[in-house]
Amino acid sequence: MKKKLAALLLGLTVAAVSVGCGKAAAENNEETPVVSENTTGGDTVISWEDLSGQQGEEEEDSVNSLDVAPEGMYMNELTGDWISEDLKNQRPIAVMVDNELTALNHFGTSQADIVYEMMNSTANGRITRLMCIFKDYNAVSQIGSIRSIRTTNLQLMPEYDAIAIHDGGPFYINNFLANPFQDHLSSGFARIKNGKPSEYTEYVTTGEINDRCKAAGIDQNYRDQWYQGQHFQFAKHSEKVDLSKESNAKEVTFIDIPYEHNKMELTYIPETQTYRYAEYNQEYIDELTGDHLEFTNVILQESTFFEWDEHGYLHFNVHNGDGMHGWYITNGYAVPITWAKGPQEFDITHFFLEDGTEITLNIGKTYVCIIPDDSWSKLVIE
């Protein structure tokens, strides 16, 4: 009996010492003795564990660090990627870029966040023109060459509250430019000798937009009464849109767009998970950067159109998506989509999967091509 009582007192004494030591160790972030019961019926066992990681342990944060904006940055509403917070309220510009073979090579196009391409005229083999949208335009030293704008462009660029940059246009644009939400800068930009006819020598250079907006009284920040908010939905940085999971998806590594004059093609590059642009049966290189023109997201949009006159000037019916088709292509796969735009020019065009869900884009640059309904059947995606 005396031996059992001595053992019990010893156990209690050790436990008390352990608690005292543990308190002191916890304060000093040292190893703490843990008293555990020996379930096999022997004496009390003292084991040692490093509990420093358990002291004041907080509940694990469920937010992936990739989805948290780095300090001083925010999510670019045009690409979903991080960009300087200083640009958060700055309106983008929409630059009309000549796409005739003579105008190549272009400058600065690979740095555009979004590129629209569409038929510029029903004449000349339905030649196209680019509308390049830039958020951080002051970071691009030279853009162009720039040319005239069309009425369809003036119904699309207000979706971004963008400032139109162009060199004139047919008189059909006048009524569109008169709308109170339209801001534009026309002609008078830098002329840079390049050995080509004068119509291919006009470029936007760093600082010109700021100076001319100030002189014209154009607000370079988003305007609450016109800006409709972020145009596209983007995936998180920690995730990827995987269209292969859709039941109607098809694998796409090559796209042949039915514009006979330009002969535009996009080829999937698995290493970068982008679609590389080419035209005129040749490689497309940005003369400013030496880079290819590549896109993470490709949207092909069917649309009806009408001609303003016999000279080939036309207008796409971008407000009427009834019965029109489309494709959303990213990361090697494509799914059919539909589209709709409200009655106002500044209403955003929305693109939908067949179940009515609005598409989500992968983070990166986007290419939107508007294709006439009378040649949609000639589109090749394979």
Side-chain angles (χ1 to χ4, degrees):
M1 177 67 71
K2 289 181 178 179
K3 289 183 178 180
K4 289 183 178 180
L5 180 59
L8 178 59
L9 291 172
L10 175 62
L12 292 172
T13 301
V14 170
V17 171
S18 298
V19 171
C21 292
K23 182 177 180 182
E27 292 173 352
N28 295 308
N29 198 28
E30 297 174 352
E31 288 187 338
T32 307
V34 177
V35 181
S36 59
E37 186 75 17
N38 188 334
T39 58
T40 61
D43 291 337
T44 301
V45 177
I46 300 176
S47 60
W48 293 81
E49 295 179 2
D50 182 1
L51 298 184
S52 60
Q54 299 180 28
Q55 302 299 322
E57 182 177 357
E58 297 180 359
E59 189 174 333
E60 185 178 355
D61 192 348
S62 60
V63 177
N64 192 306
S65 60
L66 294 175
D67 300 322
V68 178
E71 186 177 356
M73 307 190 84
Y74 88 105
M75 191 193 80
N76 182 354
E77 60 275 17
L78 302 184
T79 65
D81 216 340
W82 306 125
I83 194 172
S84 172
E85 200 167 30
D86 294 339
L87 301 169
K88 188 171 185 177
N89 294 319
Q90 179 173 285
R91 298 166 65 188
I93 61 172
V95 185
M96 296 303 302
V97 177
D98 194 303
N99 205 25
E100 177 57 89
L101 179 60
T102 309
L104 301 179
N105 287 344
H106 293 147
F107 283 73
T109 50
S110 66
Q111 294 178 271
D113 297 309
I114 300 171
V115 174
Y116 279 80
E117 184 167 12
M118 69 196 77
M119 178 169 58
N120 184 59
S121 171
T122 55
N124 303 318
R126 295 190 169 188
I127 187 172
T128 67
R129 190 156 290 179
L130 306 180
M131 182 173 74
C132 301
I133 303 178
F134 298 82
K135 177 69 172 179
D136 189 9
Y137 48 82
N138 284 313
V140 189
S141 61
Q142 187 174 334
I143 305 172
S145 58
I146 65 173
R147 289 296 293 276
S148 58
I149 201 167
R150 299 291 182 265
T151 54
T152 306
N153 301 108
L154 291 169
Q155 289 198 318
L156 293 173
M157 45 81 61
E159 297 186 15
Y160 302 89
D161 196 22
I163 302 168
I165 309 298
H166 63 110
D167 189 344
F171 72 90
Y172 302 107
I173 69 174
N174 293 343
N175 288 338
F176 293 83
L177 291 175
N179 286 319
F181 49 82
Q182 295 280 15
D183 279 333
H184 74 111
L185 297 172
S186 176
S187 68
F189 292 96
R191 290 286 179 175
I192 298 176
K193 293 182 178 180
N194 54 17
K196 299 177 182 180
S198 61
E199 62 264 35
Y200 306 109
T201 63
E202 189 174 9
Y203 298 86
V204 178
T205 58
T206 302
E208 286 188 284
I209 301 298
N210 293 345
D211 292 342
R212 294 192 55 179
C213 281
K214 183 177 180 179
I218 294 175
D219 189 349
Q220 289 177 262
N221 291 324
Y222 283 125
R223 304 165 300 171
D224 292 340
Q225 68 269 44
W226 309 122
Y227 181 49
Q228 301 300 297
Q230 185 173 307
H231 193 287
F232 294 112
Q233 299 181 106
F234 290 99
K236 295 180 179 179
H237 282 72
S238 59
E239 300 174 356
K240 278 278 189 181
V241 175
D242 184 3
L243 296 182
S244 67
K245 297 178 180 179
E246 300 292 330
S247 60
N248 55 359
K250 64 178 294 183
E251 193 170 0
V252 175
T253 59
F254 177 75
I255 305 166
D256 186 357
I257 299 176
Y259 277 120
E260 293 304 316
H261 184 90
N262 300 74
K263 297 180 172 62
M264 304 105 71
E265 298 176 349
L266 293 113
T267 303
Y268 185 59
I269 310 299
E271 293 77 13
T272 56
Q273 297 182 333
T274 55
Y275 286 87
R276 181 174 292 173
Y277 180 90
E279 64 177 343
Y280 294 109
N281 297 316
Q282 64 185 27
E283 186 178 49
Y284 181 102
I285 298 293
D286 181 341
E287 188 72 17
L288 180 67
T289 64
D291 295 330
H292 292 277
L293 187 58
E294 297 183 355
F295 303 95
T296 302
N297 308 291
V298 174
I299 296 174
L300 306 177
Q301 179 182 352
E302 180 190 22
S303 178
T304 58
F305 70 96
F306 64 86
E307 292 180 286
W308 290 110
D309 58 33
E310 69 279 6
H311 299 296
Y313 293 121
L314 68 117
H315 183 85
F316 280 103
N317 298 311
V318 292
H319 286 287
N320 185 11
D322 295 343
M324 295 292 99
H325 302 85
W327 289 98
Y328 170 41
I329 307 167
T330 189
N331 201 16
Y333 285 87
V335 291
I337 57 173
T338 58
W339 61 270
K341 177 178 168 68
Q344 301 294 330
E345 275 81 348
F346 48 78
D347 287 333
I348 292 174
T349 302
H350 295 279
F351 300 91
F352 304 95
L353 302 176
E354 288 190 336
D355 64 2
T357 304
E358 187 163 5
I359 66 173
T360 298
L361 303 189
N362 275 313
I363 293 170
K365 300 177 185 297
T366 299
Y367 172 80
V368 183
C369 187
I370 299 179
I371 301 174
D373 63 317
D374 62 4
S375 58
W376 180 260
S377 61
K378 299 177 183 178
L379 172 67
V380 176
I381 55 173
E382 57 187 20

